[in-house]
Every structure is written in structure tokens, then in C-alpha cells.
Amino acid sequence: MDPADYEMVGVIGRISSPIRETGTGEIIYSQAGSRRACPARSEDSIAIERDAEVVVTRYEKGIAYIRRWEEVSGE
């Protein structure tokens, strides 16, 4: 097992439980051939609706901090 296969920063996922402003929700993503879930917060403390595509920008104490994919990709 390579630890790089489990790196969270850069993982793309979808919101499964909406994130309220300054709150915590949940993302679903695929990693190492498995579908996984993780608690998530918005990097800039904004609300993000269910099914939004997001990317993990940092991971601390079991919580993924995320941004919308459109923000990061420039779309």
C-alpha cells in the first residue's frame, strides 16, 4: 500500500449532505477503487448545496476542507 494512494488533497467528490454556512456536511468520493464518505467543511465558510462537485484543498483532524470545483478549475 502506497500512502500517496490515500492522499486527500486534490480528491474530487460530491456533496452528499449539504454544508451550511460555517457548518459541516459530508462528501462522497472514490479512492483506491472504493467509494468513501468523509465529513467536510467549506474552505471559506460558505454554504454548499447537495450534489455540488467539489475538490479537497486540505485535510485536518478527519475533516476535508473543500472548494467548489468551478472555483478551482476556472470554469
Side-chain angles (χ1 to χ4, degrees):
M1 291 182 13
D2 184 2
D5 292 339
Y6 297 93
E7 175 65 35
M8 285 296 293
V9 175
V11 166
I12 297 172
R14 290 208 175 270
I15 301 291
S16 60
S17 178
I19 299 173
R20 288 192 239 158
E21 192 173 319
T22 70
T24 303
E26 183 181 70
I27 61 169
I28 292 179
Y29 60 98
S30 292
Q31 192 176 51
S34 297
R35 186 174 173 171
R36 301 169 183 251
C38 178
R41 290 185 178 160
S42 170
E43 186 76 61
D44 43 7
S45 300
I46 61 169
I48 302 178
E49 73 282 354
R50 184 178 179 175
D51 290 328
E53 192 170 29
V54 296
V55 63
V56 177
T57 55
R58 67 185 165 110
Y59 186 75
E60 294 178 1
K61 298 180 182 177
I63 297 177
Y65 290 83
I66 52 125
R67 287 192 180 273
R68 290 179 181 273
W69 173 244
E70 301 89 44
E71 292 178 26
V72 178
S73 68
E75 291 180 7

